[in-house]
Amino acid sequence: MSDLLSALSRNPLLRPLAKRAGLPAPQRLSRSEGPYEERPFAGRHVACGAINATAAGDAAQAALHAAGASLADEHGPADLALFDASGMTAVSDLKALYEFFHPLVPRLSANARVLVLTAPPEETEDSGLAAARRAVEGFTRSLAKEIGKRGATANLAYVEGGAENRIDGLLRFLLSPRSAYVDGQPFRVSARARLNGSMPLTATLQGKRVLVTGAAQGLGAAIARRMAEEGARLVCLDIAASRQSLQDVADASGGEILLADVSAADAPQRIAGRLAALGGVDVIVHNAGVLRDKTLAKMDERLWDLSLAVNLEAIVRIDRELIEGGLLHDHGRLICLSSISGVAGNVGQTNYSATKAGVIGYVASRARQLAPRGITANAVAPGLIETPMMMSMPFVFREISRRMNSLSQSGVPRDVAELVTFLATPGASGVSGQTIRVCGQNLIGA
């Protein structure tokens, strides 16, 4: 889809004109294609720093080495950066962030990736230390906004004590091009969900049964195709009116189709019946949704009811049937599509924002309930993504909206699919109960 400013910045004849006019020149984002690799950082140079040696830092550096990264020269360019702040003991230790990143930032390459580790503030009774740990989040978010113009990102991982062995998968995702549009996000790595010993680095969904709702087009289709690359056995669900496009997606991903309206009274039973015949399900991706915008004073009751039924009630009803019926396997994954509107709200979207905020509360609750079975539950909140729906926006509003994030551009469906796929893998066992934005660090509500 056409992004005017991106096109101008990449045209050698028009680039000088755009620069003189003071227009943003978005960096082309580096993205990965195909399935996961065993050594994704081969040929990449990483700068590493720490306040004190910790189990989290040691685990992260070992993961980097195993993934093929080599240490950057002290004065040379760096593609990746890892800083372990989890060894802080006082507020004064925050100076180490300045001392490490001050000389490093100018050396970061285009599309560089930065990951900062720290311990959760609530794990200490020392108020000063808790403040220092929380300060790291503010630092990381601000750093992300400073380096975003180069297509570079910075994210934070709060690593709980005892969860150090769950860093590998998150590190491989956040320091790779697969996280191109995930920026300024705080992740929690915990040992909440019971661990399954098997954590493959490639073919991560091999043999896993995956249900994707709303799979006929847009984000759902992208998610289905990406998961198929990791070996998933897909059940692609959508309404009967989308049968042909749904079949096309299923054929391309080696899956099968299930025609159903998720808001129908018998939908949970119909879905359960199909999955029972297939031996159950390992991953559920609730992507189906509707957008019915009107300001509250002008909103017809029907629009309110439809949004609630499809975007939230259907998720609760379907999961209840599958979970209580024993069809969601142990160590399974529950992933719901929320929205940046569910985080920050939006004019004309009281119905939509309410449902998407409801999803955030839902996964937090489900994560606690399902942890003993090793099942994780998370939400993904996309920002502005290049879809046909986005192209229906007025031109000027669309171009302005594209610049309202640290990367000065919108994302693509593949960005959402990459995050959903990561959360579905065994390597994401330490991430649960969270809502993660894939929005380029949206500057409103971020």
Side-chain angles (χ1 to χ4, degrees), residues 212-222 224 235-238 245-246 249-250 287-288:
V212 180
T213 71
Q217 59 184 339
L219 298 183
V235 177
C236 302
L237 182 150
D238 217 311
S245 55
L246 184 65
V249 172
N287 169 72

Side-chain angles (χ1 to χ4, degrees), residues 277-336:
L278 296 172
V281 66
D282 299 287
V283 180
I284 303 170
V285 181
H286 288 291
N287 169 72
V290 296
L291 191 63
R292 296 294 185 270
D293 290 0
K294 285 284 185 183
T295 56
L296 186 59
K298 297 180 180 179
M299 185 180 296
D300 185 275
E301 184 179 1
R302 179 182 57 85
L303 300 183
W304 177 274
D305 292 344
L306 179 63
S307 294
L308 194 67
V310 175
N311 296 351
L312 187 55
E313 287 183 325
I315 294 173
V316 176
R317 293 171 58 240
I318 291 168
D319 285 351
R320 182 182 297 124
E321 186 74 21
L322 298 181
I323 293 169
E324 292 182 1
L327 294 174
L328 178 58
H329 296 155
D330 285 356
H331 305 291
R333 300 287 184 263
L334 186 59
I335 305 164
C336 300

Side-chain angles (χ1 to χ4, degrees), residues 118-139:
T118 193
E122 63 272 14
E123 284 191 351
T124 179
E125 295 298 321
D126 184 327
S127 298
L129 180 55
R133 290 174 175 178
R134 184 61 177 78
V136 177
E137 182 174 329
F139 171 86

